[in-house]
Amino acid sequence: VNSKTRQHMFSRIVRPECGNEITARYITWLEKQMDSDPNLRRVYIQAIGNVGSPETIAVLRKCVHNSQYSSYLQTSAVFAMRYQVIHKSPKVVPVLMSLYHNYSLPIGTRLAAVALLVYSDPGIAVWQRLAISTWYEPSPAVAQFVASSVRTMATSQDSLYSHIARSALLVLPLTKPIKVKAHEPYNLMTSWFTSDMEKQILEQLSWMRFYNFSNLYYRHSSRSSGFFRTNMEVLIQNVYKQLLQIIC
């Protein structure tokens, strides 16, 4: 009898979870594959992130700091940490904060760190540092992205992020009042209830643009009777390059 399903008929299908040793060997193999095939580095970076193990943070962080990688790969390595954010890994918040405060990294990489950081439930101390940093941030693009993230989370009515919204609301007075400009990076989210109060709608629009990479993300989701559904999710990378290809 299978210890998980309690049914003998599934014993050949259900396999036990990978142990730490097997996971470590798999991560090491993926890391070696990145060096052997540069054309598939983006794929292997994402595969490492999909493992979901806390051990992947160190590997992905090394990819971010690899100066031989393009800003696109460095940014992809940050976004690959999203499963650690979802699982509230205590190791990921300090890493994301260090990446955000590293001015030598590409702007897009720092923006990616902020984009994940606001959903990691980092605590009021981290929110304070984010809010105050908008006053001395050397990049106007990063300052606007951080300020818009704090503002949109502080005004969020989504019950799923209520604990995050409370922290963002407390530090909102510390945030520099920056007017959102359409051509600069921003992160906006809004939520509301339908007229019959039976469904909650969530919309998120995130725009990142820097030297050789652009990222437009839109998500429309709904929540009803405890069920969460993503009705539409669109991610367009290198928007300018694709538009030029269409025009030309």
Side-chain angles (χ1 to χ4, degrees):
V1 178
N2 187 275
S3 59
K4 290 188 175 181
T5 63
R6 299 298 179 185
Q7 297 184 31
H8 179 71
M9 60 182 298
F10 293 114
S11 60
R12 296 183 180 180
I13 301 176
V14 179
R15 295 289 185 268
E17 296 181 0
C18 294
N20 294 333
E21 182 181 353
I22 297 177
T23 302
R25 288 169 55 189
Y26 182 53
I27 295 173
T28 303
W29 179 81
L30 289 173
E31 192 174 4
K32 291 181 179 179
Q33 292 300 114
M34 282 195 300
D35 298 329
S36 62
D37 194 347
N39 295 325
L40 293 177
R41 277 176 180 163
R42 171 67 178 84
V43 177
Y44 289 119
I45 287 175
Q46 187 59 57
I48 292 174
N50 290 345
V51 173
S53 172
E55 288 74 16
T56 60
I57 297 178
V59 179
L60 294 172
R61 185 178 187 179
K62 187 164 62 174
C63 294
V64 175
H65 289 289
N66 192 331
S67 59
Q68 296 182 351
Y69 285 5
S70 65
S71 59
Y72 172 69
L73 290 177
Q74 291 174 309
T75 304
S76 299
V78 177
F79 279 125
M81 300 181 190
R82 67 181 182 275
Y83 286 111
Q84 301 304 316
V85 173
I86 294 174
H87 297 305
K88 301 294 189 296
S89 173
K91 297 181 180 180
V92 73
V93 173
V95 172
L96 293 175
M97 278 298 292
S98 66
L99 296 178
Y100 164 60
H101 285 294
N102 190 340
Y103 299 135
S104 64
L105 291 175
I107 291 178
T109 305
R110 298 180 61 213
L111 293 180
V114 176
L116 291 183
L117 195 59
V118 296
Y119 292 103
S120 65
D121 193 14
I124 188 64
V126 174
W127 277 104
Q128 287 177 337
R129 293 175 61 185
L130 284 175
I132 295 174
S133 69
T134 57
W135 292 91
Y136 59 82
E137 170 59 48
S139 170
V142 176
Q144 175 174 290
F145 190 86
V146 175
S148 63
S149 298
V150 174
R151 190 180 306 112
T152 194
M153 292 304 298
T155 57
S156 173
Q157 299 180 3
D158 190 346
S159 57
L160 183 63
Y161 302 115
S162 59
H163 56 297
I164 301 178
R166 285 193 295 268
S167 298
L169 184 60
L170 288 174
V171 303
L172 185 59
L174 302 176
T175 309
K176 185 177 181 179
I178 302 176
K179 186 177 180 180
V180 175
K181 300 176 182 177
H183 64 280
E184 294 285 2
Y186 53 82
N187 185 28
L188 305 176
M189 185 178 70
T190 182
S191 60
W192 68 91
F193 286 94
T194 56
S195 57
D196 54 8
M197 300 296 289
E198 292 186 357
K199 185 181 296 184
Q200 187 175 23
I201 307 298
L202 170 69
E203 283 188 319
Q204 180 183 359
L205 179 63
S206 180
W207 165 245
M208 301 181 186
R209 181 184 66 83
F210 36 99
Y211 302 111
N212 59 349
F213 177 70
S214 58
N215 185 46
L216 177 65
Y217 176 77
Y218 173 76
R219 174 167 59 110
H220 182 283
S221 55
S222 58
R223 188 179 299 109
S224 177
S225 302
F227 292 95
F228 184 85
R229 175 183 177 184
T230 300
N231 304 311
M232 179 184 296
E233 188 173 29
V234 180
L235 174 63
I236 305 177
Q237 295 180 334
N238 291 332
V239 180
Y240 287 154
K241 184 181 295 184
Q242 294 186 27
L243 288 176
L244 288 175
Q245 290 176 351
I246 295 174
I247 295 174
C248 299

